[in-house]
Amino acid sequence: MTMYSNISTTAALIGDATRTGILMALADGKALTAGELAHIASVSPQTASSHLNKLMEGGLIKVEVQGRHRYFKLSGPEVARAIEAIAIASPPLKVRSLRQSSEKKALEYARTCYGHLAGKLGVATTDALIACGYFRDIGDVYQLTDRGQEWLIDFGVQPFLPKKIDFNAIPQHLDWTERRHHIGGPLALAITRRLHDLGWIEDGPIRRSIKLTRVGRACMQDEFGIDTDQL
Amino acid sequence: MTMYSNISTTAALIGDATRTGILMALADGKALTAGELAHIASVSPQTASSHLNKLMEGGLIKVEVQGRHRYFKLSGPEVARAIEAIAIASPPLKVRSLRQSSEKKALEYARTCYGHLAGKLGVATTDALIACGYFRDIGDVYQLTDRGQEWLIDFGVQPFLPKKIDFNAIPQHLDWTERRHHIGGPLALAITRRLHDLGWIEDGPIRRSIKLTRVGRACMQDEFGIDTDQL
DNA sequence: TCAACATTTCGATGAAACATGAAATATTCA
DNA sequence: TGAATATTTCATGTTTCATCGAAATGTTGA
C-alpha cells in the first residue's frame, strides 16, 4: 500500500474493457439496470453483476432500487470527467471491424454529452456561432455578444433557458472525439433542446448518437452557414 | 476488441500502483531517469524498465536519450490532467502508516503543480487574493480587477509575467487534494516565482512539496490577511 | 402459494501480468 | 582497452482476476 493507491485502484477499475463499456453506457447520466448493462457490454448477467459490485465498492457508481429492478448510474459528473480526460490522453483507436467503424463514425459525427451537442456537429455549430459573431472565444470560456443575446431571442432559445446565466462565462467543453472545444453548460443545453424542438436534429440509431434531419441539414446551412456536406 | 478499447488500455496502464507512482513522479513535467524512477517507486530497475516500456507503448510518456541516461517525461499535459481527473473522482485515501500520513500532509499543505502554487496554501492564497478584491471569481475563470492590476505592479510580479495575458480569463485549476479551485496559468506561475524570490516560500523535503518560511508566514499574514496558523 | 423474472453468490478455470534473479547490451570514463 | 554504471531482455514463479455454469436469493403478479 503506497501513496496514491486510491488513484491506481480507480484507474484499474476503469481499466477493464467490460467496465469501460458499462461506464460509457452510463456516461450521459442515464440510469440503467444490470440486465441492460450486461447486454450493452455483451457479457453474461453474472459477469456484469460482479463488475457492478466492484464499481460500487470503488465509489464510481451508485444504485437506486426500485422493486426487482436496480438502476445504476454514475455517482457523479466527476466520474464522467475522469473517463473523458482519459479518452483525451489516449491514442486514437485503430478501427478493426466494419461495425466498429460505423459506430465510431456515428459518435464522432454527433452525439449528446450530458445533454448538449458534441462531436463534429457540436464543434461545427460552435464555430459557426462564433463566425456569426454571436459568441466570442476568449480562451478559457466563451462570452455571449450583444448580437448573440438578440439571436437567442430571435431563434427561440429563450424559453429553454434557466433564470440566471452568466453570459460572460459560457463553459468550454473539450470533446474527446474531436479534441476541440465547444460550448457547454445550460446555454448549450438550451440550444440543443431548441434544435430538437425545431426538428432539425433527432436521436440516432446508436446510443447517444444524434442525426441531422433533412430539414435540419438545409436550415443549418441557411441559418449558420454551416456546410453540412463537409461533415 | 470492442469500442473504447483505447480508453480501457490507457486506464489499465494508470491502474497499477507502481506505474501510478512513476507517473506521479513525472506529473509536474520534470524528466527523470529510469533509475531514479525505480527508486521513487521502490521497485527493482528491471521492473521499472518493464513498466516504462509499457507506458511508452501506451503513449503516456516519452523519452529523451542523453548518453547512458534516458530521461523520461510525460508525453504531454493531457496525461497529467487525466491522472488528476482520476484523483478527483477517487475516494479519499485511507491512511495506514505514519510515514504515509506525513507525506500526504506535506503535499496537502502546499506543493507546486506545473509550476504554480497548489494545496491548502494555494487555495488559501487564491481565497485571499479574491477577498482583497484583486481577483473576481465569475464561475469558470477568474478575472483580474483594476485594483489587482495595480497590486501586480506594487508586489513586483510584473517582471515574471509573459507579454500577453488576458486578464479577463485567468484559468481556474481544480486541485486534487483540496477539491477546490485556485488560480492557474502564467499569472499564477509568476506570482509563485515572486513568492520564491521574496523568500516567503521554499522547496520542501518531499518531492514537489513547498514550505512556508518563517518570514513568509508573517508576511503572508500581513499582506493578504491569511491566518497561516489555520493551515 | 406458485411461476416468471431479475439479480446475486459460489466455485472452478484459464489467461494475463507483476516482480525479480540472471544475463545481455550500451555508454562513459580512466 | 577494460572497469563501472545504466538499462534492457529473458525466463520463471506467483498472484490476480475476468468469465461463466450452477445454484441461490429476492421480487412481482396471478
Side-chain angles (χ1 to χ4, degrees):
Chain A
M1 272 295 177
T2 101
M3 189 102 197
Y4 311 133
S5 64
N6 54 341
I7 300 182
S8 58
T9 46
T10 301
L13 278 175
I14 306 176
D16 170 83
T18 304
R19 282 192 296 257
T20 305
I22 291 175
L23 291 170
M24 276 305 209
L26 300 171
D28 61 353
K30 280 219 183 71
L32 297 170
T33 69
E36 290 170 316
L37 289 168
H39 181 73
I40 292 173
S42 37
V43 289
S44 69
Q46 312 95 297
T47 304
S49 174
S50 152
H51 286 302
L52 290 169
N53 236 323
K54 289 176 187 177
L55 289 170
M56 293 270 296
E57 277 175 27
L60 296 185
I61 62 174
K62 59 186 175 185
V63 66
E64 266 171 53
V65 186
Q66 241 172 68
R68 69 176 144 182
H69 291 280
R70 308 189 58 184
Y71 286 95
F72 293 92
K73 60 194 309 189
L74 294 192
S75 57
E78 69 278 4
V79 178
R81 271 196 287 271
I83 298 171
E84 207 166 281
I86 296 171
I88 290 170
S90 300
L93 179 64
K94 290 190 212 104
V95 173
R96 284 166 206 281
S97 74
L98 190 62
R99 188 180 58 77
Q100 200 179 102
S101 147
S102 69
E103 284 191 9
K104 182 161 177 275
K105 278 216 191 87
L107 286 179
E108 273 177 356
Y109 176 63
R111 63 178 196 290
T112 52
C113 162
Y114 267 80
H116 61 256
L117 219 52
K120 278 196 205 306
L121 185 59
V123 171
T125 306
T126 299
D127 286 350
L129 289 170
I130 291 172
C132 292
Y134 302 151
F135 287 83
R136 222 192 333 263
D137 183 351
I138 60 163
D140 290 79
V141 289
Y142 297 109
Q143 290 178 341
L144 190 67
T145 63
D146 293 339
R147 284 176 58 193
Q149 301 226 27
E150 290 169 29
W151 173 77
L152 276 191
I153 299 169
D154 289 348
F155 196 60
V157 180
Q158 204 75 358
F160 297 92
L161 276 178
K163 317 272 169 294
K164 296 184 66 175
I165 288 196
D166 185 349
F167 289 135
N168 283 318
I170 313 294
Q172 285 191 343
H173 203 265
L174 185 51
D175 187 87
W176 62 270
T177 47
E178 290 299 299
R179 295 165 199 231
R180 286 275 316 277
H181 288 291
H182 56 80
I183 53 173
L187 182 52
L189 182 62
I191 294 175
T192 309
R193 290 237 181 97
R194 178 59 178 151
L195 290 174
H196 225 284
D197 205 45
L198 284 169
W200 294 14
I201 57 175
E202 59 187 26
D203 291 347
I206 293 164
R207 276 182 51 74
R208 288 176 67 191
S209 74
I210 292 274
K211 258 177 36 191
L212 196 59
T213 63
R214 192 202 298 254
V215 211
R217 193 169 281 274
C219 294
M220 293 287 271
Q221 174 105 32
D222 203 39
E223 175 81 23
F224 306 121
I226 298 179
D227 185 0
T228 47
D229 297 331
Q230 290 282 342
L231 294 179
Chain B
M1 271 296 177
T2 105
M3 190 101 199
Y4 310 134
S5 66
N6 55 340
I7 299 182
S8 59
T9 48
T10 301
L13 278 175
I14 306 175
D16 170 82
T18 305
R19 283 193 295 259
T20 305
I22 291 175
L23 291 170
M24 276 306 211
L26 300 171
D28 60 352
K30 280 219 182 69
L32 297 171
T33 68
E36 290 170 315
L37 288 169
H39 181 74
I40 292 173
S42 36
V43 288
S44 68
Q46 313 96 294
T47 303
S49 173
S50 151
H51 285 301
L52 290 169
N53 236 322
K54 290 174 188 177
L55 289 170
M56 293 271 295
E57 277 175 26
L60 295 185
I61 61 173
K62 58 186 176 185
V63 66
E64 266 170 52
V65 186
Q66 238 171 72
R68 68 173 144 182
H69 292 281
R70 309 189 57 185
Y71 287 95
F72 292 92
K73 60 194 308 190
L74 293 193
S75 57
E78 68 279 3
V79 177
R81 271 196 287 271
I83 298 171
E84 205 165 283
I86 295 171
I88 290 170
S90 300
L93 179 63
K94 289 190 215 104
V95 172
R96 285 165 206 281
S97 74
L98 192 62
R99 186 180 59 74
Q100 201 180 103
S101 147
S102 70
E103 284 191 7
K104 183 161 176 274
K105 279 217 191 85
L107 285 179
E108 274 176 356
Y109 177 63
R111 62 178 197 289
T112 52
C113 161
Y114 267 80
H116 62 256
L117 217 51
K120 278 195 206 306
L121 186 59
V123 171
T125 306
T126 298
D127 286 348
L129 289 169
I130 290 172
C132 293
Y134 302 152
F135 287 83
R136 221 193 334 263
D137 183 351
I138 59 162
D140 291 79
V141 289
Y142 297 109
Q143 291 179 341
L144 190 67
T145 63
D146 294 339
R147 285 175 57 194
Q149 300 226 27
E150 290 169 26
W151 173 78
L152 276 190
I153 299 168
D154 290 349
F155 196 62
V157 180
Q158 203 76 0
F160 298 91
L161 276 179
K163 315 274 170 293
K164 295 184 66 173
I165 288 196
D166 183 348
F167 288 135
N168 282 318
I170 313 294
Q172 286 191 341
H173 203 266
L174 186 51
D175 188 87
W176 60 270
T177 49
E178 291 301 299
R179 297 169 197 228
R180 286 273 318 276
H181 287 290
H182 56 81
I183 54 173
L187 181 52
L189 181 63
I191 294 175
T192 309
R193 291 237 180 99
R194 178 60 177 152
L195 289 174
H196 224 284
D197 205 45
L198 285 168
W200 293 13
I201 58 175
E202 60 186 26
D203 290 345
I206 292 166
R207 277 183 51 74
R208 289 176 66 192
S209 75
I210 291 276
K211 258 177 33 190
L212 196 58
T213 63
R214 191 201 299 255
V215 213
R217 193 169 281 274
C219 294
M220 292 288 270
Q221 174 104 34
D222 205 40
E223 175 82 21
F224 305 120
I226 297 180
D227 186 359
T228 48
D229 297 331
Q230 290 282 342
L231 293 180

